[in-house]
Amino acid sequence: MRGPESADYYVNLAQEDYYLKGGEPPGVWHGKGAQALGLFGKVTETELKLLIVGRGPDKEALVQNAGDETRQGGWDLTFSAPKSVSVIWAQADPATRKAIQEAHRRAVDTALNYLESEAGWTRRGRAGEEKERADLVFAKFEHGTSRAQDPNIHTHALLINASIREDGTTGSIESKPIFKEKMTAGALYRAELSHSLRNIGFETEQKRSWFEVKGVSESLIAEQSKRRKAIEKELSAKGERGAKAAKIANLNTRKAKEHLPREQLFNLWSHDGERHNFGAKEVENLKKSQTLSHDEREAYRERAVNKTISKLTEHESHFTKRDFVRRLAEEAQGKGIFDAKEVLSLIHI
């Protein structure tokens, strides 16, 4: 994202009374860098636009090229729940819906905290020769729908291109570490989310690098995946495949997003559920007691670690800490038995 106008889309959605007026929940500041700048709670339009151009809340320059229209103002890091999670969120009773949203929020925070601790770097000195650790600034915006108005819980975490060094000075972010760690952060997000959903009572199963909740209506998932269908149709028409082609197809099929009140959307989604015989009662019936003995839990953890190492060394004799964390997090999310904190603790085994 570039320039102050990039902030408008997110700020305009963040209306206080979003259930009645449309839009989404207000943005929230996150990160030690935000705290150092005195940014807490709700994101305001004025603060966000200032930060995107490289200025702090008091309009002081945080970077050398503050106000330069060509500078990179920040990066949009998006964390999306698996489709089955969004579907049960849309069909669940208010208490379960709130618990799922809280699980998503905690998982996003876990991923952002990992990025800050592992990828928070800045440079200074002649030609940026000195690399230093730095605290980061995120503006989080939780959204609940896709552009096709299907349930789609996701959070846009806008990483501001300004950071706070240990001595209190400020500077731009070193972006390469962020991009190196973003896939690992995503895997930790899903591992934490899977663990929290297990605590609510839902069973999860691994699907390659992600997970899904067991027992969710496949036909309802298909109906509420209109954006995916549009992208697949675009790819098929052009005879293309792969991540790069999918990204282009996503942009080509993107329509202006209509912002309906969530109260109205939940009613619409409820009717979808009725047609597929999958509503709040069916969501509740998915919950099960999932207690494990200490020995069972330890055995699962050992299998997950061994399987991860086996996969990593199948074609290479060595791997990085980042590789291990990412692959173990992917393995952990299948059962949701241990969370992101435990994944990170297992680095030292």
Side-chain angles (χ1 to χ4, degrees):
M1 68 185 202
R2 295 179 184 271
E5 67 281 354
S6 304
D8 291 341
Y9 173 75
Y10 302 100
V11 174
N12 290 341
L13 291 183
Q15 303 177 45
E16 286 284 2
D17 197 6
Y18 60 92
Y19 277 98
L20 298 177
K21 296 182 180 178
E24 302 282 8
V28 178
W29 293 112
H30 184 87
K32 294 179 180 177
Q35 295 176 16
L37 291 174
L39 299 170
F40 299 92
K42 179 183 173 181
V43 174
T44 68
E45 179 179 7
T46 300
E47 292 167 341
L48 184 58
K49 286 189 173 183
L50 281 170
L51 283 166
I52 288 176
V53 299
R55 297 189 180 279
D58 295 330
K59 300 183 180 181
E60 73 279 15
L62 300 177
V63 295
Q64 290 184 346
N65 58 348
D68 187 337
E69 292 183 359
T70 64
R71 76 179 294 273
Q72 180 76 38
W75 298 268
D76 182 359
L77 309 176
T78 305
F79 298 89
S80 299
K83 191 63 189 184
S84 57
V85 178
S86 292
V87 169
I88 61 173
W89 169 74
Q91 298 297 327
D93 61 66
T96 300
R97 186 181 299 151
K98 183 178 179 181
I100 292 172
Q101 278 183 244
E102 179 61 20
H104 168 73
R105 185 197 64 76
R106 286 198 305 270
V108 170
D109 287 354
T110 295
L112 296 182
N113 291 342
Y114 171 81
L115 280 175
E116 185 167 39
S117 66
E118 296 296 323
W121 293 92
T122 186
R123 289 183 180 274
R124 68 169 152 186
R126 187 174 181 180
E129 58 188 14
E130 298 177 35
K131 187 176 179 181
E132 298 181 34
R133 295 306 303 266
D135 293 332
L136 305 180
V137 181
F138 299 94
K140 300 186 302 176
F141 293 87
E142 178 198 302
H143 292 182
T145 66
S146 69
R147 289 178 180 269
Q149 298 299 302
D150 289 327
N152 178 25
I153 306 175
H154 61 287
T155 293
H156 292 277
L158 306 186
L159 171 57
I160 302 300
N161 189 14
S163 61
I164 316 298
R165 303 186 184 97
E166 290 185 359
D167 64 2
T169 60
T170 60
S172 297
I173 290 172
E174 176 73 6
S175 62
K176 286 184 179 179
I178 298 293
F179 289 101
K180 285 182 179 179
E181 295 286 357
K182 70 175 185 177
M183 299 300 288
T184 302
L188 287 169
Y189 157 77
R190 293 188 297 276
E192 184 71 21
L193 179 59
S194 176
H195 178 72
S196 293
L197 291 171
R198 178 185 173 84
N199 288 339
I200 295 172
F202 298 110
E203 287 187 273
T204 61
E205 55 185 343
Q206 190 175 0
K207 301 285 187 178
R208 297 201 295 274
S209 63
W210 72 94
F211 75 90
E212 298 290 353
V213 175
K214 286 185 178 182
V216 181
S217 168
E218 293 292 340
S219 61
L220 181 55
I221 288 176
E223 178 172 339
Q224 295 186 332
S225 301
K226 299 182 189 70
R227 279 294 294 141
R228 180 179 178 182
K229 289 178 182 177
I231 293 169
E232 289 175 346
K233 184 177 180 180
E234 175 83 359
L235 289 172
S236 178
K238 293 187 175 181
E240 298 175 340
R241 59 188 299 179
K244 185 175 181 180
K247 186 175 182 179
I248 294 173
N250 179 35
L251 293 173
N252 289 342
T253 58
R254 180 177 289 179
K255 297 179 181 179
K257 191 171 183 180
E258 183 182 3
H259 305 296
L260 299 176
R262 280 193 176 183
E263 184 179 67
Q264 183 177 339
L265 287 169
F266 285 131
N267 286 332
L268 292 172
W269 295 334
S270 178
H271 291 314
D272 289 343
E274 288 175 5
R275 291 197 302 275
H276 295 270
N277 298 312
F278 191 85
K281 180 180 178 181
E282 286 70 30
V283 170
E284 198 64 23
N285 288 340
L286 293 180
K287 296 180 182 179
K288 300 177 181 178
S289 176
Q290 301 184 63
T291 57
L292 288 176
S293 69
H294 175 76
D295 290 344
E296 288 174 325
R297 194 173 183 283
E298 288 300 306
Y300 176 80
R301 185 172 77 161
E302 184 176 351
R303 285 196 302 271
V305 171
N306 291 337
K307 190 174 180 180
T308 298
I309 294 174
S310 178
K311 285 182 178 179
L312 287 170
T313 57
E314 186 175 1
H315 301 293
E316 300 289 340
S317 59
H318 65 279
F319 52 86
T320 66
K321 169 186 172 183
R322 178 174 63 249
D323 295 332
F324 179 75
V325 172
R326 176 184 172 184
R327 300 304 179 187
L328 182 57
E330 291 173 355
E331 194 66 34
Q333 64 186 296
K335 296 291 184 181
I337 291 176
F338 49 94
D339 60 11
K341 183 177 180 180
E342 188 163 2
V343 168
L344 293 170
S345 74
L346 293 176
I347 295 172
H348 307 293
I349 289 180

